Amino acid sequence: MSGTAQSDRPDNPGKDGPGYEGNRPSMTERGGGDPSGRGRTTIADGVVEKIAGLAARDVLGVHAMGSGLSRTFGAVRDRVPGGTKSVTRGVKAEVGEVQTALDLEIVVEYGVSITDVARTVRQNVVSSVERMTGLEVVEVNIAVSDVKLPDEAEDEPESRLQ
């Protein structure tokens, strides 16, 4: 016989020893590890579109987002009382479980290098979306739909109210 009782062993304190909690796991064992693995997080397309839209607008040389028609409708919508400015205008996102792909339509200021602006927009969008969502951005397609000339009027319709 060994002469060592079960409660004398430090790795198994026994029924009467310190740390005994019956059949329940101790506090260090409860839950089974890393809390980040205890559920699923889903991110809506619109969330990624907002992040990408704001990141693209932050780039010097980007005048507006979207095509002429969507900007015209957006300007009308912005003037309606209670209407909000759409930060997702000109942005389309496809979001999967771990990756996302984006299509952006931009209007650039006259005189800037379109390739430089597109490169900077792409870098800013990838950085912002990946940092905020944890998703891998697999592609950012940019379509330059117009150039804003210095003497060109804004695309906003004239208000009938004075």
PDB file of all heavy atoms in Angstrom, residues 108-150:
ATOM      1  N   VAL A 108     -13.001  62.316 -59.614  1.00  0.00           N
ATOM      2  CA  VAL A 108     -11.753  62.938 -59.159  1.00  0.00           C
ATOM      3  C   VAL A 108     -11.719  64.413 -59.543  1.00  0.00           C
ATOM      4  O   VAL A 108     -12.402  64.855 -60.471  1.00  0.00           O
ATOM      5  CB  VAL A 108     -10.504  62.218 -59.729  1.00  0.00           C
ATOM      6  CG1 VAL A 108     -10.441  60.778 -59.248  1.00  0.00           C
ATOM      7  CG2 VAL A 108     -10.468  62.279 -61.242  1.00  0.00           C
ATOM      8  N   GLU A 109     -10.926  65.164 -58.809  1.00  0.00           N
ATOM      9  CA  GLU A 109     -10.709  66.580 -59.108  1.00  0.00           C
ATOM     10  C   GLU A 109      -9.836  66.695 -60.357  1.00  0.00           C
ATOM     11  O   GLU A 109      -8.931  65.877 -60.562  1.00  0.00           O
ATOM     12  CB  GLU A 109      -9.985  67.264 -57.934  1.00  0.00           C
ATOM     13  CG  GLU A 109     -10.740  67.237 -56.628  1.00  0.00           C
ATOM     14  CD  GLU A 109     -11.827  68.282 -56.555  1.00  0.00           C
ATOM     15  OE1 GLU A 109     -11.846  69.210 -57.395  1.00  0.00           O
ATOM     16  OE2 GLU A 109     -12.670  68.171 -55.649  1.00  0.00           O
ATOM     17  N   TYR A 110     -10.082  67.706 -61.163  1.00  0.00           N
ATOM     18  CA  TYR A 110      -9.254  67.951 -62.336  1.00  0.00           C
ATOM     19  C   TYR A 110      -7.825  68.302 -61.894  1.00  0.00           C
ATOM     20  O   TYR A 110      -7.611  69.037 -60.945  1.00  0.00           O
ATOM     21  CB  TYR A 110      -9.821  69.105 -63.178  1.00  0.00           C
ATOM     22  CG  TYR A 110      -8.943  69.444 -64.349  1.00  0.00           C
ATOM     23  CD1 TYR A 110      -8.969  68.678 -65.504  1.00  0.00           C
ATOM     24  CD2 TYR A 110      -8.063  70.517 -64.286  1.00  0.00           C
ATOM     25  CE1 TYR A 110      -8.145  68.963 -66.567  1.00  0.00           C
ATOM     26  CE2 TYR A 110      -7.231  70.819 -65.350  1.00  0.00           C
ATOM     27  CZ  TYR A 110      -7.280  70.029 -66.485  1.00  0.00           C
ATOM     28  OH  TYR A 110      -6.446  70.323 -67.538  1.00  0.00           O
ATOM     29  N   GLY A 111      -6.856  67.747 -62.605  1.00  0.00           N
ATOM     30  CA  GLY A 111      -5.456  68.078 -62.370  1.00  0.00           C
ATOM     31  C   GLY A 111      -4.706  67.077 -61.504  1.00  0.00           C
ATOM     32  O   GLY A 111      -3.486  67.119 -61.438  1.00  0.00           O
ATOM     33  N   VAL A 112      -5.418  66.184 -60.829  1.00  0.00           N
ATOM     34  CA  VAL A 112      -4.729  65.186 -60.004  1.00  0.00           C
ATOM     35  C   VAL A 112      -4.388  63.967 -60.852  1.00  0.00           C
ATOM     36  O   VAL A 112      -5.007  63.716 -61.886  1.00  0.00           O
ATOM     37  CB  VAL A 112      -5.574  64.753 -58.777  1.00  0.00           C
ATOM     38  CG1 VAL A 112      -5.883  65.929 -57.875  1.00  0.00           C
ATOM     39  CG2 VAL A 112      -6.836  64.043 -59.200  1.00  0.00           C
ATOM     40  N   SER A 113      -3.401  63.213 -60.418  1.00  0.00           N
ATOM     41  CA  SER A 113      -3.060  61.967 -61.087  1.00  0.00           C
ATOM     42  C   SER A 113      -4.094  60.911 -60.698  1.00  0.00           C
ATOM     43  O   SER A 113      -4.201  60.531 -59.522  1.00  0.00           O
ATOM     44  CB  SER A 113      -1.668  61.502 -60.656  1.00  0.00           C
ATOM     45  OG  SER A 113      -1.456  60.165 -61.056  1.00  0.00           O
ATOM     46  N   ILE A 114      -4.856  60.449 -61.678  1.00  0.00           N
ATOM     47  CA  ILE A 114      -5.910  59.475 -61.412  1.00  0.00           C
ATOM     48  C   ILE A 114      -5.318  58.185 -60.848  1.00  0.00           C
ATOM     49  O   ILE A 114      -5.874  57.606 -59.913  1.00  0.00           O
ATOM     50  CB  ILE A 114      -6.747  59.213 -62.684  1.00  0.00           C
ATOM     51  CG1 ILE A 114      -7.532  60.488 -63.037  1.00  0.00           C
ATOM     52  CG2 ILE A 114      -7.680  58.022 -62.491  1.00  0.00           C
ATOM     53  CD1 ILE A 114      -8.285  60.416 -64.345  1.00  0.00           C
ATOM     54  N   THR A 115      -4.193  57.753 -61.392  1.00  0.00           N
ATOM     55  CA  THR A 115      -3.589  56.514 -60.887  1.00  0.00           C
ATOM     56  C   THR A 115      -3.128  56.669 -59.440  1.00  0.00           C
ATOM     57  O   THR A 115      -3.278  55.742 -58.635  1.00  0.00           O
ATOM     58  CB  THR A 115      -2.412  56.053 -61.771  1.00  0.00           C
ATOM     59  OG1 THR A 115      -1.460  57.109 -61.879  1.00  0.00           O
ATOM     60  CG2 THR A 115      -2.889  55.647 -63.146  1.00  0.00           C
ATOM     61  N   ASP A 116      -2.593  57.835 -59.093  1.00  0.00           N
ATOM     62  CA  ASP A 116      -2.168  58.070 -57.705  1.00  0.00           C
ATOM     63  C   ASP A 116      -3.370  58.114 -56.759  1.00  0.00           C
ATOM     64  O   ASP A 116      -3.329  57.551 -55.660  1.00  0.00           O
ATOM     65  CB  ASP A 116      -1.378  59.381 -57.578  1.00  0.00           C
ATOM     66  CG  ASP A 116       0.012  59.291 -58.195  1.00  0.00           C
ATOM     67  OD1 ASP A 116       0.461  58.159 -58.516  1.00  0.00           O
ATOM     68  OD2 ASP A 116       0.645  60.358 -58.367  1.00  0.00           O
ATOM     69  N   VAL A 117      -4.432  58.791 -57.185  1.00  0.00           N
ATOM     70  CA  VAL A 117      -5.636  58.866 -56.361  1.00  0.00           C
ATOM     71  C   VAL A 117      -6.226  57.466 -56.177  1.00  0.00           C
ATOM     72  O   VAL A 117      -6.565  57.074 -55.064  1.00  0.00           O
ATOM     73  CB  VAL A 117      -6.686  59.828 -56.966  1.00  0.00           C
ATOM     74  CG1 VAL A 117      -8.023  59.708 -56.248  1.00  0.00           C
ATOM     75  CG2 VAL A 117      -6.187  61.259 -56.915  1.00  0.00           C
ATOM     76  N   ALA A 118      -6.317  56.706 -57.249  1.00  0.00           N
ATOM     77  CA  ALA A 118      -6.871  55.346 -57.168  1.00  0.00           C
ATOM     78  C   ALA A 118      -6.029  54.468 -56.242  1.00  0.00           C
ATOM     79  O   ALA A 118      -6.568  53.711 -55.428  1.00  0.00           O
ATOM     80  CB  ALA A 118      -6.970  54.726 -58.554  1.00  0.00           C
ATOM     81  N   ARG A 119      -4.709  54.582 -56.337  1.00  0.00           N
ATOM     82  CA  ARG A 119      -3.815  53.792 -55.486  1.00  0.00           C
ATOM     83  C   ARG A 119      -4.020  54.168 -54.010  1.00  0.00           C
ATOM     84  O   ARG A 119      -4.133  53.303 -53.147  1.00  0.00           O
ATOM     85  CB  ARG A 119      -2.354  54.006 -55.880  1.00  0.00           C
ATOM     86  CG  ARG A 119      -1.360  53.194 -55.060  1.00  0.00           C
ATOM     87  CD  ARG A 119       0.102  53.452 -55.407  1.00  0.00           C
ATOM     88  NE  ARG A 119       0.386  53.519 -56.841  1.00  0.00           N
ATOM     89  CZ  ARG A 119       0.661  54.635 -57.515  1.00  0.00           C
ATOM     90  NH1 ARG A 119       0.714  55.798 -56.886  1.00  0.00           N
ATOM     91  NH2 ARG A 119       0.908  54.605 -58.808  1.00  0.00           N
ATOM     92  N   THR A 120      -4.109  55.461 -53.739  1.00  0.00           N
ATOM     93  CA  THR A 120      -4.290  55.921 -52.364  1.00  0.00           C
ATOM     94  C   THR A 120      -5.658  55.528 -51.816  1.00  0.00           C
ATOM     95  O   THR A 120      -5.777  55.116 -50.661  1.00  0.00           O
ATOM     96  CB  THR A 120      -4.092  57.451 -52.279  1.00  0.00           C
ATOM     97  OG1 THR A 120      -2.829  57.783 -52.843  1.00  0.00           O
ATOM     98  CG2 THR A 120      -4.142  57.936 -50.849  1.00  0.00           C
ATOM     99  N   VAL A 121      -6.689  55.634 -52.650  1.00  0.00           N
ATOM    100  CA  VAL A 121      -8.028  55.204 -52.243  1.00  0.00           C
ATOM    101  C   VAL A 121      -7.995  53.722 -51.890  1.00  0.00           C
ATOM    102  O   VAL A 121      -8.500  53.302 -50.840  1.00  0.00           O
ATOM    103  CB  VAL A 121      -9.078  55.481 -53.347  1.00  0.00           C
ATOM    104  CG1 VAL A 121     -10.375  54.727 -53.073  1.00  0.00           C
ATOM    105  CG2 VAL A 121      -9.346  56.972 -53.484  1.00  0.00           C
ATOM    106  N   ARG A 122      -7.398  52.925 -52.757  1.00  0.00           N
ATOM    107  CA  ARG A 122      -7.322  51.476 -52.533  1.00  0.00           C
ATOM    108  C   ARG A 122      -6.616  51.169 -51.212  1.00  0.00           C
ATOM    109  O   ARG A 122      -7.098  50.379 -50.402  1.00  0.00           O
ATOM    110  CB  ARG A 122      -6.611  50.814 -53.713  1.00  0.00           C
ATOM    111  CG  ARG A 122      -6.717  49.315 -53.734  1.00  0.00           C
ATOM    112  CD  ARG A 122      -6.169  48.728 -55.042  1.00  0.00           C
ATOM    113  NE  ARG A 122      -7.142  48.890 -56.121  1.00  0.00           N
ATOM    114  CZ  ARG A 122      -6.981  49.683 -57.181  1.00  0.00           C
ATOM    115  NH1 ARG A 122      -5.878  50.388 -57.326  1.00  0.00           N
ATOM    116  NH2 ARG A 122      -7.906  49.766 -58.103  1.00  0.00           N
ATOM    117  N   GLN A 123      -5.469  51.830 -50.975  1.00  0.00           N
ATOM    118  CA  GLN A 123      -4.718  51.597 -49.735  1.00  0.00           C
ATOM    119  C   GLN A 123      -5.527  52.011 -48.504  1.00  0.00           C
ATOM    120  O   GLN A 123      -5.572  51.284 -47.502  1.00  0.00           O
ATOM    121  CB  GLN A 123      -3.397  52.370 -49.759  1.00  0.00           C
ATOM    122  CG  GLN A 123      -2.386  51.832 -50.734  1.00  0.00           C
ATOM    123  CD  GLN A 123      -1.193  52.778 -50.927  1.00  0.00           C
ATOM    124  OE1 GLN A 123      -1.243  53.951 -50.578  1.00  0.00           O
ATOM    125  NE2 GLN A 123      -0.116  52.245 -51.501  1.00  0.00           N
ATOM    126  N   ASN A 124      -6.169  53.163 -48.566  1.00  0.00           N
ATOM    127  CA  ASN A 124      -6.946  53.664 -47.437  1.00  0.00           C
ATOM    128  C   ASN A 124      -8.154  52.779 -47.139  1.00  0.00           C
ATOM    129  O   ASN A 124      -8.459  52.486 -45.980  1.00  0.00           O
ATOM    130  CB  ASN A 124      -7.391  55.106 -47.698  1.00  0.00           C
ATOM    131  CG  ASN A 124      -7.605  55.897 -46.437  1.00  0.00           C
ATOM    132  OD1 ASN A 124      -6.958  55.654 -45.427  1.00  0.00           O
ATOM    133  ND2 ASN A 124      -8.507  56.856 -46.500  1.00  0.00           N
ATOM    134  N   VAL A 125      -8.825  52.324 -48.191  1.00  0.00           N
ATOM    135  CA  VAL A 125      -9.996  51.461 -48.020  1.00  0.00           C
ATOM    136  C   VAL A 125      -9.589  50.116 -47.437  1.00  0.00           C
ATOM    137  O   VAL A 125     -10.190  49.635 -46.472  1.00  0.00           O
ATOM    138  CB  VAL A 125     -10.750  51.293 -49.361  1.00  0.00           C
ATOM    139  CG1 VAL A 125     -11.765  50.158 -49.291  1.00  0.00           C
ATOM    140  CG2 VAL A 125     -11.435  52.596 -49.754  1.00  0.00           C
ATOM    141  N   VAL A 126      -8.548  49.500 -47.998  1.00  0.00           N
ATOM    142  CA  VAL A 126      -8.089  48.195 -47.496  1.00  0.00           C
ATOM    143  C   VAL A 126      -7.695  48.311 -46.028  1.00  0.00           C
ATOM    144  O   VAL A 126      -8.103  47.502 -45.187  1.00  0.00           O
ATOM    145  CB  VAL A 126      -6.920  47.642 -48.345  1.00  0.00           C
ATOM    146  CG1 VAL A 126      -6.249  46.468 -47.667  1.00  0.00           C
ATOM    147  CG2 VAL A 126      -7.398  47.262 -49.735  1.00  0.00           C
ATOM    148  N   SER A 127      -6.915  49.329 -45.709  1.00  0.00           N
ATOM    149  CA  SER A 127      -6.448  49.523 -44.338  1.00  0.00           C
ATOM    150  C   SER A 127      -7.614  49.710 -43.372  1.00  0.00           C
ATOM    151  O   SER A 127      -7.675  49.067 -42.312  1.00  0.00           O
ATOM    152  CB  SER A 127      -5.509  50.727 -44.287  1.00  0.00           C
ATOM    153  OG  SER A 127      -5.178  51.042 -42.970  1.00  0.00           O
ATOM    154  N   SER A 128      -8.544  50.577 -43.708  1.00  0.00           N
ATOM    155  CA  SER A 128      -9.674  50.871 -42.825  1.00  0.00           C
ATOM    156  C   SER A 128     -10.596  49.666 -42.642  1.00  0.00           C
ATOM    157  O   SER A 128     -10.987  49.342 -41.518  1.00  0.00           O
ATOM    158  CB  SER A 128     -10.494  52.048 -43.364  1.00  0.00           C
ATOM    159  OG  SER A 128      -9.728  53.220 -43.355  1.00  0.00           O
ATOM    160  N   VAL A 129     -10.943  49.016 -43.734  1.00  0.00           N
ATOM    161  CA  VAL A 129     -11.869  47.877 -43.655  1.00  0.00           C
ATOM    162  C   VAL A 129     -11.230  46.721 -42.883  1.00  0.00           C
ATOM    163  O   VAL A 129     -11.865  46.130 -42.001  1.00  0.00           O
ATOM    164  CB  VAL A 129     -12.327  47.430 -45.060  1.00  0.00           C
ATOM    165  CG1 VAL A 129     -13.079  46.108 -44.994  1.00  0.00           C
ATOM    166  CG2 VAL A 129     -13.196  48.504 -45.705  1.00  0.00           C
ATOM    167  N   GLU A 130      -9.977  46.411 -43.175  1.00  0.00           N
ATOM    168  CA  GLU A 130      -9.324  45.297 -42.484  1.00  0.00           C
ATOM    169  C   GLU A 130      -9.135  45.599 -40.999  1.00  0.00           C
ATOM    170  O   GLU A 130      -9.352  44.732 -40.150  1.00  0.00           O
ATOM    171  CB  GLU A 130      -7.995  44.943 -43.143  1.00  0.00           C
ATOM    172  CG  GLU A 130      -8.192  44.237 -44.474  1.00  0.00           C
ATOM    173  CD  GLU A 130      -6.908  43.763 -45.121  1.00  0.00           C
ATOM    174  OE1 GLU A 130      -5.799  44.169 -44.686  1.00  0.00           O
ATOM    175  OE2 GLU A 130      -7.000  42.974 -46.085  1.00  0.00           O
ATOM    176  N   ARG A 131      -8.772  46.832 -40.675  1.00  0.00           N
ATOM    177  CA  ARG A 131      -8.552  47.196 -39.276  1.00  0.00           C
ATOM    178  C   ARG A 131      -9.857  47.159 -38.482  1.00  0.00           C
ATOM    179  O   ARG A 131      -9.909  46.657 -37.365  1.00  0.00           O
ATOM    180  CB  ARG A 131      -7.934  48.596 -39.194  1.00  0.00           C
ATOM    181  CG  ARG A 131      -7.697  49.094 -37.770  1.00  0.00           C
ATOM    182  CD  ARG A 131      -7.048  50.475 -37.740  1.00  0.00           C
ATOM    183  NE  ARG A 131      -7.645  51.447 -38.628  1.00  0.00           N
ATOM    184  CZ  ARG A 131      -8.744  52.156 -38.347  1.00  0.00           C
ATOM    185  NH1 ARG A 131      -9.347  51.995 -37.198  1.00  0.00           N
ATOM    186  NH2 ARG A 131      -9.228  53.036 -39.205  1.00  0.00           N
ATOM    187  N   MET A 132     -10.934  47.665 -39.060  1.00  0.00           N
ATOM    188  CA  MET A 132     -12.190  47.774 -38.322  1.00  0.00           C
ATOM    189  C   MET A 132     -13.002  46.481 -38.291  1.00  0.00           C
ATOM    190  O   MET A 132     -13.740  46.247 -37.335  1.00  0.00           O
ATOM    191  CB  MET A 132     -13.038  48.909 -38.896  1.00  0.00           C
ATOM    192  CG  MET A 132     -12.436  50.276 -38.643  1.00  0.00           C
ATOM    193  SD  MET A 132     -13.451  51.614 -39.271  1.00  0.00           S
ATOM    194  CE  MET A 132     -14.829  51.542 -38.135  1.00  0.00           C
ATOM    195  N   THR A 133     -12.880  45.662 -39.332  1.00  0.00           N
ATOM    196  CA  THR A 133     -13.734  44.467 -39.409  1.00  0.00           C
ATOM    197  C   THR A 133     -12.988  43.162 -39.194  1.00  0.00           C
ATOM    198  O   THR A 133     -13.617  42.156 -38.858  1.00  0.00           O
ATOM    199  CB  THR A 133     -14.423  44.376 -40.781  1.00  0.00           C
ATOM    200  OG1 THR A 133     -13.434  44.159 -41.797  1.00  0.00           O
ATOM    201  CG2 THR A 133     -15.241  45.622 -41.078  1.00  0.00           C
ATOM    202  N   GLY A 134     -11.686  43.153 -39.439  1.00  0.00           N
ATOM    203  CA  GLY A 134     -10.940  41.906 -39.363  1.00  0.00           C
ATOM    204  C   GLY A 134     -11.101  41.060 -40.610  1.00  0.00           C
ATOM    205  O   GLY A 134     -10.525  39.974 -40.710  1.00  0.00           O
ATOM    206  N   LEU A 135     -11.875  41.528 -41.579  1.00  0.00           N
ATOM    207  CA  LEU A 135     -12.048  40.806 -42.836  1.00  0.00           C
ATOM    208  C   LEU A 135     -10.839  41.040 -43.734  1.00  0.00           C
ATOM    209  O   LEU A 135     -10.234  42.112 -43.696  1.00  0.00           O
ATOM    210  CB  LEU A 135     -13.297  41.290 -43.570  1.00  0.00           C
ATOM    211  CG  LEU A 135     -14.641  41.022 -42.894  1.00  0.00           C
ATOM    212  CD1 LEU A 135     -15.743  41.812 -43.587  1.00  0.00           C
ATOM    213  CD2 LEU A 135     -14.959  39.538 -42.901  1.00  0.00           C
ATOM    214  N   GLU A 136     -10.516  40.059 -44.555  1.00  0.00           N
ATOM    215  CA  GLU A 136      -9.458  40.234 -45.550  1.00  0.00           C
ATOM    216  C   GLU A 136     -10.081  40.858 -46.796  1.00  0.00           C
ATOM    217  O   GLU A 136     -11.050  40.322 -47.344  1.00  0.00           O
ATOM    218  CB  GLU A 136      -8.832  38.879 -45.901  1.00  0.00           C
ATOM    219  CG  GLU A 136      -7.798  38.984 -46.994  1.00  0.00           C
ATOM    220  CD  GLU A 136      -7.350  37.633 -47.538  1.00  0.00           C
ATOM    221  OE1 GLU A 136      -7.922  36.597 -47.150  1.00  0.00           O
ATOM    222  OE2 GLU A 136      -6.437  37.634 -48.381  1.00  0.00           O
ATOM    223  N   VAL A 137      -9.553  41.978 -47.231  1.00  0.00           N
ATOM    224  CA  VAL A 137     -10.041  42.620 -48.453  1.00  0.00           C
ATOM    225  C   VAL A 137      -9.288  41.995 -49.609  1.00  0.00           C
ATOM    226  O   VAL A 137      -8.075  42.172 -49.736  1.00  0.00           O
ATOM    227  CB  VAL A 137      -9.835  44.148 -48.407  1.00  0.00           C
ATOM    228  CG1 VAL A 137     -10.315  44.786 -49.704  1.00  0.00           C
ATOM    229  CG2 VAL A 137     -10.554  44.756 -47.215  1.00  0.00           C
ATOM    230  N   VAL A 138     -10.006  41.250 -50.452  1.00  0.00           N
ATOM    231  CA  VAL A 138      -9.343  40.538 -51.545  1.00  0.00           C
ATOM    232  C   VAL A 138      -9.212  41.394 -52.799  1.00  0.00           C
ATOM    233  O   VAL A 138      -8.304  41.168 -53.604  1.00  0.00           O
ATOM    234  CB  VAL A 138     -10.045  39.207 -51.884  1.00  0.00           C
ATOM    235  CG1 VAL A 138      -9.885  38.220 -50.738  1.00  0.00           C
ATOM    236  CG2 VAL A 138     -11.516  39.398 -52.207  1.00  0.00           C
ATOM    237  N   GLU A 139     -10.116  42.374 -52.962  1.00  0.00           N
ATOM    238  CA  GLU A 139      -9.981  43.285 -54.103  1.00  0.00           C
ATOM    239  C   GLU A 139     -10.784  44.549 -53.882  1.00  0.00           C
ATOM    240  O   GLU A 139     -11.806  44.543 -53.216  1.00  0.00           O
ATOM    241  CB  GLU A 139     -10.375  42.618 -55.430  1.00  0.00           C
ATOM    242  CG  GLU A 139     -11.832  42.283 -55.589  1.00  0.00           C
ATOM    243  CD  GLU A 139     -12.146  41.620 -56.917  1.00  0.00           C
ATOM    244  OE1 GLU A 139     -11.214  41.232 -57.652  1.00  0.00           O
ATOM    245  OE2 GLU A 139     -13.333  41.494 -57.230  1.00  0.00           O
ATOM    246  N   VAL A 140     -10.251  45.626 -54.439  1.00  0.00           N
ATOM    247  CA  VAL A 140     -10.948  46.908 -54.459  1.00  0.00           C
ATOM    248  C   VAL A 140     -10.887  47.402 -55.895  1.00  0.00           C
ATOM    249  O   VAL A 140      -9.843  47.841 -56.373  1.00  0.00           O
ATOM    250  CB  VAL A 140     -10.304  47.946 -53.502  1.00  0.00           C
ATOM    251  CG1 VAL A 140     -11.030  49.289 -53.601  1.00  0.00           C
ATOM    252  CG2 VAL A 140     -10.300  47.445 -52.072  1.00  0.00           C
ATOM    253  N   ASN A 141     -12.000  47.292 -56.593  1.00  0.00           N
ATOM    254  CA  ASN A 141     -12.091  47.758 -57.980  1.00  0.00           C
ATOM    255  C   ASN A 141     -12.579  49.197 -57.972  1.00  0.00           C
ATOM    256  O   ASN A 141     -13.575  49.518 -57.319  1.00  0.00           O
ATOM    257  CB  ASN A 141     -13.062  46.879 -58.777  1.00  0.00           C
ATOM    258  CG  ASN A 141     -12.591  45.440 -58.818  1.00  0.00           C
ATOM    259  OD1 ASN A 141     -11.442  45.168 -59.116  1.00  0.00           O
ATOM    260  ND2 ASN A 141     -13.480  44.522 -58.487  1.00  0.00           N
ATOM    261  N   ILE A 142     -11.869  50.054 -58.698  1.00  0.00           N
ATOM    262  CA  ILE A 142     -12.214  51.474 -58.718  1.00  0.00           C
ATOM    263  C   ILE A 142     -12.537  51.896 -60.143  1.00  0.00           C
ATOM    264  O   ILE A 142     -11.730  51.691 -61.056  1.00  0.00           O
ATOM    265  CB  ILE A 142     -11.054  52.327 -58.160  1.00  0.00           C
ATOM    266  CG1 ILE A 142     -10.783  51.934 -56.709  1.00  0.00           C
ATOM    267  CG2 ILE A 142     -11.375  53.817 -58.281  1.00  0.00           C
ATOM    268  CD1 ILE A 142      -9.564  52.580 -56.104  1.00  0.00           C
ATOM    269  N   ALA A 143     -13.716  52.480 -60.300  1.00  0.00           N
ATOM    270  CA  ALA A 143     -14.121  53.030 -61.587  1.00  0.00           C
ATOM    271  C   ALA A 143     -14.183  54.550 -61.431  1.00  0.00           C
ATOM    272  O   ALA A 143     -14.888  55.062 -60.564  1.00  0.00           O
ATOM    273  CB  ALA A 143     -15.490  52.487 -61.986  1.00  0.00           C
ATOM    274  N   VAL A 144     -13.410  55.255 -62.255  1.00  0.00           N
ATOM    275  CA  VAL A 144     -13.449  56.719 -62.251  1.00  0.00           C
ATOM    276  C   VAL A 144     -14.500  57.116 -63.280  1.00  0.00           C
ATOM    277  O   VAL A 144     -14.311  56.932 -64.476  1.00  0.00           O
ATOM    278  CB  VAL A 144     -12.066  57.320 -62.579  1.00  0.00           C
ATOM    279  CG1 VAL A 144     -12.144  58.832 -62.606  1.00  0.00           C
ATOM    280  CG2 VAL A 144     -11.024  56.845 -61.586  1.00  0.00           C
ATOM    281  N   SER A 145     -15.626  57.653 -62.790  1.00  0.00           N
ATOM    282  CA  SER A 145     -16.754  57.930 -63.680  1.00  0.00           C
ATOM    283  C   SER A 145     -16.786  59.364 -64.192  1.00  0.00           C
ATOM    284  O   SER A 145     -17.519  59.659 -65.125  1.00  0.00           O
ATOM    285  CB  SER A 145     -18.073  57.612 -62.977  1.00  0.00           C
ATOM    286  OG  SER A 145     -18.229  58.422 -61.837  1.00  0.00           O
ATOM    287  N   ASP A 146     -15.986  60.260 -63.571  1.00  0.00           N
ATOM    288  CA  ASP A 146     -16.029  61.649 -64.004  1.00  0.00           C
ATOM    289  C   ASP A 146     -14.836  62.404 -63.431  1.00  0.00           C
ATOM    290  O   ASP A 146     -14.165  61.935 -62.517  1.00  0.00           O
ATOM    291  CB  ASP A 146     -17.327  62.311 -63.519  1.00  0.00           C
ATOM    292  CG  ASP A 146     -17.716  63.543 -64.335  1.00  0.00           C
ATOM    293  OD1 ASP A 146     -16.946  63.929 -65.254  1.00  0.00           O
ATOM    294  OD2 ASP A 146     -18.776  64.128 -64.052  1.00  0.00           O
ATOM    295  N   VAL A 147     -14.590  63.578 -64.008  1.00  0.00           N
ATOM    296  CA  VAL A 147     -13.574  64.501 -63.512  1.00  0.00           C
ATOM    297  C   VAL A 147     -14.279  65.812 -63.216  1.00  0.00           C
ATOM    298  O   VAL A 147     -15.008  66.342 -64.059  1.00  0.00           O
ATOM    299  CB  VAL A 147     -12.453  64.725 -64.556  1.00  0.00           C
ATOM    300  CG1 VAL A 147     -11.497  65.799 -64.091  1.00  0.00           C
ATOM    301  CG2 VAL A 147     -11.721  63.440 -64.841  1.00  0.00           C
ATOM    302  N   LYS A 148     -14.096  66.323 -62.006  1.00  0.00           N
ATOM    303  CA  LYS A 148     -14.705  67.594 -61.615  1.00  0.00           C
ATOM    304  C   LYS A 148     -13.809  68.727 -62.094  1.00  0.00           C
ATOM    305  O   LYS A 148     -12.685  68.878 -61.641  1.00  0.00           O
ATOM    306  CB  LYS A 148     -14.857  67.623 -60.084  1.00  0.00           C
ATOM    307  CG  LYS A 148     -15.222  68.971 -59.494  1.00  0.00           C
ATOM    308  CD  LYS A 148     -16.605  69.413 -59.888  1.00  0.00           C
ATOM    309  CE  LYS A 148     -17.067  70.625 -59.131  1.00  0.00           C
ATOM    310  NZ  LYS A 148     -16.628  71.897 -59.641  1.00  0.00           N
ATOM    311  N   LEU A 149     -14.308  69.512 -63.051  1.00  0.00           N
ATOM    312  CA  LEU A 149     -13.557  70.645 -63.584  1.00  0.00           C
ATOM    313  C   LEU A 149     -13.686  71.837 -62.637  1.00  0.00           C
ATOM    314  O   LEU A 149     -14.703  71.988 -61.957  1.00  0.00           O
ATOM    315  CB  LEU A 149     -14.079  71.013 -64.967  1.00  0.00           C
ATOM    316  CG  LEU A 149     -13.988  69.889 -66.011  1.00  0.00           C
ATOM    317  CD1 LEU A 149     -14.639  70.324 -67.314  1.00  0.00           C
ATOM    318  CD2 LEU A 149     -12.547  69.484 -66.230  1.00  0.00           C
ATOM    319  N   PRO A 150     -12.674  72.694 -62.590  1.00  0.00           N
ATOM    320  CA  PRO A 150     -12.693  73.828 -61.647  1.00  0.00           C
ATOM    321  C   PRO A 150     -13.888  74.769 -61.827  1.00  0.00           C
ATOM    322  O   PRO A 150     -14.435  75.263 -60.848  1.00  0.00           O
ATOM    323  CB  PRO A 150     -11.396  74.576 -61.946  1.00  0.00           C
ATOM    324  CG  PRO A 150     -10.545  73.637 -62.698  1.00  0.00           C
ATOM    325  CD  PRO A 150     -11.440  72.652 -63.362  1.00  0.00           C
TER     326      PRO A 150
END
